[in-house]
Amino acid sequence: MLSLSMNTMIQIIEKYFPDMSGEQKRQLEMLAGLYPEWNAKINVISRKDIDNLMTNHVLHSLSIGKFLNPVDGTSFIDIGTGGGFPGIPMAVMYPGCKFHLIDRIGKKINVASSIAGEIGLNNVTFQHGDLSECHEKFDFAISRAVMKLPELLKISRPNIARRAPRNAYPNGLIVLKGGDLRPELDGLRTDYLMEDLNLWFHEPYFETKKLIYVPF
C-alpha cells in the first residue's frame, strides 16, 4: 500500500494534469512503489532523493509535456535516460506518442525496461549503447542534464527528423536543466527558448529549474 506521502505526491501531479485516466493514475502509483524497490538494488536515483521521486523526477519530467503538449504520433528519443527519466513519465502521460530510451549503462536501461514492462507501457522501446549507434529519426530529442548543451546539440542532430512540424513547435531538442546556464547557453551559437518551470509548477524544487528548447 502507498504511504500517505506518495498518495499526496500523485495528487500533486493530478493537480497539474487533471485529465489523467484511471490507467494513468494506476501506472503512476506503480512507479511510486517500483522505483524505491529497484533503487535499493541498483542506484538509478540518489538515495537521498528517492523520497522526492514523484516531484523531483516524475513531475520534473512532465514539464516537457507542459511545454510541448505533444500531439498523438509524436516521437521522442530520450538521451541518457538512466532509470527512465524523462521518458517513462512522459510515456505514461502521452500514450499516443512514441518514446525510444537510450543509455550507455546497461544496468540502468534494464531497470527502466523492467519498470516499463511491469506498469504495462507499450509505447516505449529501449537501447543499451551510444547515441551514434541509433540510426532512427525522431521529432524531438529530450534529456535531463546529461551533458553540456553544445555537445548534446551536436550529437543529437543526426537523430532529428527534418519534416514539417506536427506540433506547436518545430522538431528539435528539449532539455531540462538547473543552475547557472550562462556558459552553456553562450556556447550554443543558435536560437533557443528558455522557460522557467515555476511558471507551471509551484513546488519549491522548481524555483531554479529551466527548460531549454532548440529548434532544428
Side-chain angles (χ1 to χ4, degrees):
M1 179 180 293
L2 292 175
S3 67
L4 179 62
S5 61
M6 283 298 185
N7 280 318
T8 301
M9 288 298 99
I10 291 170
Q11 290 170 4
I12 288 173
I13 294 175
E14 189 175 10
K15 176 175 67 174
Y16 297 114
F17 295 89
D19 297 327
M20 284 194 299
S21 68
E23 174 66 2
Q24 288 169 319
K25 293 176 187 177
R26 181 193 69 82
Q27 290 174 323
L28 289 175
E29 288 173 356
M30 290 189 71
L31 289 184
L34 286 168
Y35 269 108
E37 291 178 10
W38 274 103
N39 211 58
K41 296 179 283 188
I42 299 172
N43 190 20
V44 294
I45 296 171
S46 168
R47 290 192 169 92
K48 296 179 180 179
D49 204 30
I50 193 64
D51 289 341
N52 301 311
L53 167 72
M54 301 305 286
T55 299
N56 296 10
H57 299 277
V58 174
L59 190 58
H60 188 210
S61 297
L62 293 176
S63 60
I64 293 172
K66 278 295 186 185
F67 169 74
L68 185 62
N69 192 23
V71 301
D72 286 355
T74 303
S75 59
F76 296 84
I77 182 168
D78 178 359
I79 301 171
T81 188
F85 300 101
I88 285 180
M90 285 288 293
V92 169
M93 198 60 67
Y94 300 95
C97 299
K98 299 178 181 179
F99 297 85
H100 185 65
L101 281 56
I102 186 169
D103 200 279
R104 294 176 178 174
I105 301 176
K107 62 183 180 181
K108 289 187 176 182
I109 205 76
N110 288 339
V111 170
S113 178
S114 296
I115 288 175
E118 289 184 70
I119 70 173
L121 284 180
N122 57 16
N123 58 337
V124 291
T125 53
F126 298 88
Q127 183 175 348
H128 170 213
D130 190 82
L131 183 59
S132 63
E133 299 169 338
C134 179
H135 306 297
E136 298 178 54
K137 301 284 187 180
F138 304 87
D139 295 312
F140 293 93
I142 57 177
S143 189
R144 284 180 88 214
V146 169
M147 61 183 70
K148 293 188 181 300
L149 277 165
E151 182 182 355
L152 184 58
L153 181 63
K154 180 180 178 180
I155 67 169
S156 62
R157 281 190 183 278
N159 296 99
I160 302 302
R162 305 308 201 269
R163 56 185 171 223
R166 61 179 100 193
N167 289 279
Y169 293 94
N171 294 356
L173 172 68
I174 302 174
V175 181
L176 301 178
K177 287 271 193 176
D180 183 5
L181 299 178
R182 286 174 296 179
E184 292 187 52
L185 294 174
D186 289 344
L188 277 182
R189 302 185 185 282
T190 189
D191 292 336
Y192 66 87
L193 176 63
M194 182 166 64
E195 297 281 7
D196 294 320
L197 298 195
N198 62 10
L199 293 174
W200 305 314
F201 305 142
H202 307 308
E203 285 68 31
Y205 175 76
F206 298 104
E207 290 179 0
T208 61
K209 302 300 180 184
K210 312 285 186 183
L211 179 148
I212 313 296
Y213 160 68
V214 183
F216 281 14

